[in-house]
Amino acid sequence: MARQDIPLETLVSHLLASKRSLSSISTVWRANEIVTSARAALEESVVLSARTGFLRSGISEQVKILRKARGGIENVYKEGQRDFKSVIRTLDAANARLEATMDVLRSTMVEAAFRPEKEEPRSLLDFVDEQGVETMRDALKESIRESKEAQTEFDTSILAFENDLRALKAAMKSSPQSSASQSHNELSSTIPTHLQTLESHAQEMAALLDSLVQHFDLCVNAIRHTEGGYAAVQKAASSQPPGAEAVSVSGVMDTENDPPSDEPISDEERREMLDVLEKDASQVEDVVIELKEYLEEMEMKHDAILEYLSALTTTYNETTAAYQILEGIGARLSGYIIASQDFRIRWEETKINIGKQLNELESMRLFYENYHSSYDGLILEVYRRKQCDEKVKNIMKKAMEQIEKVYDADSKEREGFRLDVGEYLPVDLWPNVNAPAPRWEFVLADQETSDSVPEFEKAVVEAAGKRDRERQRTERRS
């Protein structure tokens, strides 16, 4: 047998180290698992990215439609608010005018000459029924209450719509648009690049493992061609120092008797084998370290891929949740639109009703104004009648003076006639021959109207006339 260029103990040490290095096969298995996982992640990311992009595009289009619908509903609300405020202003103005007119009636005291003696002073307002005004005001308050109730219901619907849109917006913000836009870039660069690196590393690790296997086979072959090699290996494997990794050499050799190889090799072949063995043995540890480094880098890239896939999955799930919110909004959208239509119909009906009530309120105000102006007219009419009475009395006074003159002349003539011829005429010829002159006087035909025309102070009549002229000027200007 050729002499040993390398001590048996060194060969045994190389064999055991080589056997330990073969445990690195787990790193290669792990590398293969990582590559498989990365490929699956690539496929899943493509699906998730496509689904997410499709969903977000659809949601964005639907959001545009929802915003238009919200704009239409808001326009109905704003128009109703403007109308309501305008109606309230009109109501306030009409009520203020009515109240001002009623204040005038309340402050205008009826002249005592119109009323019975000892009666308490009364205003013009005391002679009209205010219950009609209060009834109309109550009806207006009820219309306003119904309007506010309809507005409150519409507010509730709008608030629910706004909450839905805010929820959808929040759901879309949790998976921002940048994620969807970046997904394609990540998909086309990050994962494929990492996968390419992982596949390359896996191939390199497989090659390194193959070199370790070849080195182990070379060590086994060297032991087989070395006398006492198997026994030395068994002894070394069973007597490892404390803390050293246990090594099993079962199946390494064909027989426990350790016969030399049936195929002897030449000294030249042995030297070449031992040279290669010695050279490779010095690299075993480096190869094992390199395998670990490869695996560490692969684990890092794999973690990055899984992290990105997790983020993409989260984005997809959040987009799906946003889509579910959108579906719910779509189911409720018809209700929101119907609510706006109901509000518009109810408000139009209420507005028409308020308009009628406003007309009635204005009619009451005009009635009260005419009532006040008629009172001034009454004062002027009483004054006119008083003037007529005075004219008649003056005429009667002058007539009575003429009548008295005629009566005196008639009496003198009758007395002269009696003295001249009275003694010659028989009395029974005409019984009235010596009758006195008749006396005439004026008597009021309707005694019930006697002294029925009141008399006012001049200032009262002048004030009524002034107000009447001002009204006439106002009517001509309008």
Side-chain angles (χ1 to χ4, degrees):
M1 182 175 294
R3 64 179 181 83
Q4 296 181 0
D5 296 333
I6 299 178
L8 178 59
E9 292 80 4
T10 302
L11 288 177
V12 171
S13 175
H14 290 337
L15 175 65
L16 295 179
S18 177
K19 184 66 170 63
R20 291 191 191 95
S21 70
L22 293 182
S23 62
S24 298
I25 190 173
S26 61
T27 61
V28 178
W29 289 341
R30 176 57 185 160
N32 184 62
E33 291 175 354
I34 289 175
V35 171
T36 302
S37 175
R39 287 172 180 166
L42 174 60
E43 294 175 0
E44 188 174 357
S45 67
V46 171
V47 174
L48 288 176
S49 179
R51 289 179 177 176
T52 302
F54 176 76
L55 284 177
R56 290 193 67 88
S57 176
I59 291 173
S60 297
E61 292 301 319
Q62 293 300 313
V63 166
K64 293 178 182 178
I65 296 175
L66 289 176
R67 286 174 178 169
K68 290 181 180 179
R70 181 185 62 182
I73 291 175
E74 286 181 347
N75 288 337
V76 172
Y77 178 79
K78 291 177 180 178
E79 182 179 350
Q81 285 287 88
R82 286 194 297 269
D83 278 355
F84 181 77
K85 291 178 180 178
S86 176
V87 167
I88 293 299
R89 286 195 296 269
T90 304
L91 279 175
D92 290 341
N95 185 64
R97 290 194 299 271
L98 176 61
E99 195 62 41
T101 302
M102 294 179 70
D103 287 341
V104 171
L105 296 180
R106 191 177 290 111
S107 62
T108 302
M109 304 307 294
V110 176
E111 291 296 326
F114 283 129
R115 304 302 303 158
E117 293 182 4
K118 298 181 181 180
E119 184 182 71
E120 292 292 332
R122 299 173 69 181
S123 69
L124 288 178
L125 192 62
D126 293 331
F127 290 89
V128 295
D129 184 10
E130 296 183 60
Q131 186 59 39
V133 176
E134 294 303 322
T135 301
M136 181 55 58
R137 284 173 174 171
D138 291 340
L140 283 169
K141 289 177 182 178
E142 179 63 19
S143 296
I144 293 173
R145 187 196 65 79
E146 292 177 356
S147 175
K148 288 184 176 180
E149 182 179 334
Q151 185 173 337
T152 300
E153 293 177 3
F154 192 27
D155 285 342
T156 302
S157 176
I158 292 176
L159 180 60
F161 195 10
E162 289 293 336
N163 289 337
D164 280 344
L165 293 179
R166 278 194 291 269
L168 180 58
K169 184 178 181 181
M172 293 294 285
K173 278 186 175 181
S174 64
S175 55
Q177 183 65 31
S178 58
S179 298
S181 62
Q182 291 173 358
S183 62
H184 182 269
N185 293 333
E186 294 288 347
L187 178 63
S188 61
S189 60
T190 304
I191 294 183
T193 301
H194 286 347
L195 180 59
Q196 184 178 1
T197 302
L198 293 176
E199 289 175 341
S200 175
H201 283 7
Q203 291 173 0
E204 292 291 337
M205 291 174 71
L208 291 174
L209 180 62
D210 185 62
S211 68
L212 290 177
V213 171
Q214 292 178 8
H215 175 65
F216 176 73
D217 291 341
L218 190 61
C219 289
V220 171
N221 194 29
I223 290 295
R224 286 177 177 175
H225 287 86
T226 302
E227 184 177 358
Y230 180 76
V233 170
Q234 286 282 68
K235 181 179 179 181
S238 61
S239 59
Q240 291 293 309
E245 182 182 354
V247 179
S248 174
V249 293
S250 176
V252 173
M253 300 299 178
D254 293 334
T255 175
E256 295 181 1
N257 295 324
D258 190 20
S261 176
D262 293 337
E263 298 179 1
I265 57 175
S266 64
D267 292 343
E268 183 64 28
E269 290 175 337
R270 180 178 177 79
R271 279 196 302 272
E272 291 178 359
M273 178 182 67
L274 293 178
D275 287 341
V276 173
L277 187 150
E278 188 70 21
K279 181 180 178 182
D280 290 346
S282 63
Q283 299 177 359
V284 168
E285 186 176 355
D286 292 338
V287 170
V288 172
I289 292 174
E290 189 173 0
L291 284 170
K292 291 181 180 180
E293 290 176 349
Y294 273 133
L295 183 61
E296 288 176 358
E297 184 178 352
M298 290 180 72
E299 291 285 4
M300 291 176 60
K301 292 186 180 298
H302 184 238
D303 289 343
I305 291 174
L306 294 181
E307 183 179 354
Y308 170 73
L309 181 62
S310 176
L312 192 60
T313 301
T314 300
T315 300
Y316 172 72
N317 291 336
E318 291 171 346
T319 305
T320 302
Y323 181 74
Q324 292 173 348
I325 294 175
L326 177 63
E327 285 184 323
I329 297 175
R332 294 185 291 273
L333 180 59
S334 59
Y336 299 144
I337 295 175
I338 291 174
S340 68
Q341 293 173 344
D342 287 345
F343 170 76
R344 175 180 288 172
I345 293 172
R346 290 177 64 182
W347 169 239
E348 289 299 328
E349 293 175 350
T350 302
K351 188 165 61 173
I352 292 173
N353 190 34
I354 291 176
K356 293 178 180 179
Q357 293 167 342
L358 267 174
N359 291 335
E360 293 181 14
L361 202 66
E362 185 65 15
S363 297
M364 289 182 180
R365 185 190 68 81
L366 292 175
F367 173 79
Y368 287 153
E369 282 191 355
N370 291 332
Y371 172 38
H372 182 251
S373 63
S374 297
Y375 178 70
D376 287 337
L378 175 62
I379 292 175
L380 295 177
E381 173 64 14
V382 169
Y383 177 72
R384 184 193 67 77
R385 293 182 185 183
K386 192 67 176 177
Q387 293 293 99
C388 289
D389 286 352
E390 293 297 328
K391 289 180 181 178
V392 170
K393 289 177 180 179
N394 288 334
I395 292 173
M396 288 191 299
K397 182 180 179 181
K398 292 178 181 179
M400 287 301 298
E401 290 176 354
Q402 295 297 323
I403 289 172
E404 285 297 325
K405 290 180 181 180
V406 172
Y407 172 77
D408 292 341
D410 186 21
S411 294
K412 290 178 181 180
E413 289 293 333
R414 288 183 185 226
E415 182 62 23
F417 176 76
R418 186 184 64 79
L419 293 176
D420 291 339
V421 297
E423 60 182 289
Y424 303 108
L425 291 176
V427 177
D428 57 351
L429 180 65
W430 181 43
N432 293 331
V433 65
N434 293 322
R439 298 190 69 86
W440 298 87
E441 61 183 17
F442 292 97
V443 179
L444 189 63
D446 189 356
Q447 294 295 334
E448 294 181 359
T449 60
S450 178
D451 299 328
S452 62
V453 180
E455 185 173 358
F456 307 119
E457 294 181 1
K458 185 178 181 181
V460 174
V461 177
E462 289 178 350
K466 182 179 180 181
R467 289 192 295 269
D468 186 64
R469 289 190 295 274
E470 288 177 354
R471 290 190 193 96
Q472 292 179 4
R473 283 196 297 269
T474 303
E475 290 175 358
R476 285 195 295 269
R477 283 196 298 268
S478 61

